[in-house]
Amino acid sequence: MIGSTATAPPTGETLDALLRRYENAGAPLSCEPVAEGLLNRGYRLATTRGRFFLKLYVDSATADRSVIARQHRATQRLDELGLPVAPPLPGIDGGTVVVLGGRCFALYPWVDGQHREGAELTTGQSRRLGALLGLVHTRLEQVQPPPADPGHHASADPERTFALIDDLLEQVRGHRPRETFDELAEHRLLERRALLERHAHRRPPDAGEPVTGWVHGDFHPLNLLYREDEPVAIVDWDRLGVQPRAEEAVRAAVIFFVQPAGTLDLAKVRAYAHAYRLATGAPPDELAAAVHRVWWERLNDFWMLRWRYQRRDRRADPLFPAASALAVWWTGAYDAVRDAFTG
């Protein structure tokens, strides 16, 4: 699991001031950091009136009040359409964002549930997962305005990646004391550079408007809560935005169904992808293009190493072994992966 973004919880004075903005929220009894999350901070808040999830927005890309309010409106509308989401609670003024000391907070109902990795899902549950994400995409299209500007979704430039690899290699080799992780990082960086040199001609074209729409932006196991066999809440809508939709479907599958050795459970991927295509009407060629772009993205992506060596943040270290092995395996199994998403 990824470590917490949370430090100390808000002070009692802050909690008192915040809860007064809500009707019947009660007085605070305890406030403890939740164990997962990389961007904003979350707390399990108990009051004299019940249990809540308290969110403190600190990430610069997601802490703007208008951006947060847009996310909240989207989840409220999705909830009205019957999707398993947990919208924030409205305050006494009708708003869902509370600003205290220049910081933005939101209060949510507490949802009991568990996170489930793809290995824990049956083939049938994998199928329902794909259908759920497809429903999210089609319902977002109903509740969000049409994208005014679909944006320019450029593919990764291998020349920039080569420069990043050189920089990371220098930092890895200079790290002291040298650790087993450093050995693996150096091996994967050299391996990835060789793969990129061999496949640079396969850089995909930039994605354009025909495959763009509103997406959750961060659909993965830590943002989906299950109760027994069924999803009960899709959480953390911080990255709600306009992106190529099928690429989110591919990214989500890659995260859910990656195995410890860095391979994908292609039987579950096939069930998931078929259900997603049925739910959205996305044609196989759209999924094939998305597979190619996400494969290329993975070949050029080193965010976990950047966190460790550039930001001195080790919370993503446990994800690196499987994720780095996946890029290599996927390159060798490219046709089989594409066929699982499109067949």
Side-chain angles (χ1 to χ4, degrees):
M1 285 296 180
I2 298 171
S4 172
T5 55
T7 53
T11 65
E13 181 180 356
T14 298
L15 292 175
D16 285 334
L18 186 142
L19 290 171
R20 284 197 295 270
R21 303 286 188 92
Y22 295 88
E23 186 175 1
N24 299 322
L29 296 175
S30 64
C31 186
E32 301 174 349
V34 297
E36 294 90 13
L38 285 175
L39 296 178
N40 295 305
R41 298 176 183 172
Y43 303 92
R44 183 185 294 105
L45 174 62
T47 79
T48 53
R49 293 298 181 91
R51 294 184 300 161
F52 303 91
F53 176 75
L54 174 63
K55 189 162 189 172
L56 168 59
Y57 294 85
V58 296
D59 179 64
S60 59
T62 61
D64 180 83
R65 184 173 185 173
S66 63
V67 172
I68 298 168
R70 182 185 68 189
Q71 298 162 5
H72 291 177
R73 286 193 299 271
T75 56
Q76 289 168 334
R77 292 166 181 165
L78 292 175
D79 180 59
E80 292 167 0
L81 292 174
L83 268 73
V85 296
L89 299 171
I92 55 178
D93 64 354
T96 56
V97 183
V98 174
V99 181
L100 293 172
R103 300 189 298 175
C104 293
F105 294 85
L107 192 65
Y108 293 79
W110 182 262
V111 179
D112 285 316
Q114 296 80 40
H115 303 294
R116 301 188 67 179
E117 303 288 340
E120 303 173 65
L121 303 180
T122 65
T123 301
Q125 290 166 339
S126 303
R127 186 177 297 111
R128 292 197 291 277
L129 178 67
L132 175 61
L133 182 57
L135 191 61
V136 168
H137 287 172
T138 57
R139 294 294 185 262
L140 279 173
E141 190 174 20
Q142 295 176 21
V143 304
Q144 292 291 94
D149 179 6
H152 182 71
H153 304 283
S155 59
D157 182 348
E159 293 304 321
R160 290 189 176 184
T161 305
F162 291 140
L164 174 61
I165 288 173
D166 289 341
D167 178 71
L168 288 171
L169 278 171
E170 182 178 352
Q171 296 188 58
V172 169
R173 289 166 173 167
H175 185 261
R176 294 294 181 272
R178 190 154 175 93
E179 302 173 7
T180 302
F181 189 100
D182 302 319
E183 300 284 349
L184 176 62
E186 181 175 2
H187 169 71
R188 291 302 190 194
L189 285 164
L190 293 171
E191 180 181 53
R192 194 78 62 82
R193 183 164 63 188
L195 278 176
L196 277 169
E197 289 171 348
R198 191 154 62 245
H199 295 282
H201 64 286
R202 299 176 66 186
R203 178 183 179 181
D206 295 348
E209 184 174 359
V211 294
T212 295
W214 287 95
V215 299
H216 176 276
D218 204 18
F219 194 84
H220 60 67
L222 291 181
N223 287 336
L224 184 61
L225 287 169
Y226 279 82
R227 191 173 302 142
E228 296 182 353
D229 293 335
E230 296 301 323
V232 291
I234 305 165
V235 300
D236 195 354
W237 293 78
D238 293 344
R239 290 179 172 167
L240 172 72
V242 176
Q243 297 178 18
R245 295 191 311 179
E247 290 182 32
E248 171 158 86
V250 175
R251 289 191 196 97
V254 168
I255 298 171
F256 269 95
F257 301 118
V258 65
Q259 300 180 98
T263 62
L264 290 176
D265 187 327
L266 293 182
K268 291 181 180 178
V269 168
R270 187 178 298 275
Y272 159 97
H274 182 68
Y276 175 82
R277 296 202 317 272
L278 287 177
T280 60
D285 60 348
E286 183 178 333
L287 269 294
V291 167
H292 187 67
R293 284 178 57 84
V294 177
W295 163 76
W296 178 256
E297 179 183 281
R298 290 292 181 268
L299 277 186
N300 286 268
D301 183 38
F302 295 96
W303 74 269
M304 298 169 196
L305 296 186
R306 295 180 72 169
W307 274 48
R308 177 184 171 96
Y309 294 105
Q310 295 179 346
R311 298 174 52 169
R312 304 294 187 263
D313 187 332
R314 297 191 174 199
R315 286 176 294 151
D317 285 6
L319 304 176
F320 180 71
S324 60
L326 174 64
V328 180
W329 175 84
W330 190 345
T331 302
Y334 181 89
D335 291 343
V337 175
R338 181 198 57 209
D339 291 348
F341 278 97
T342 62

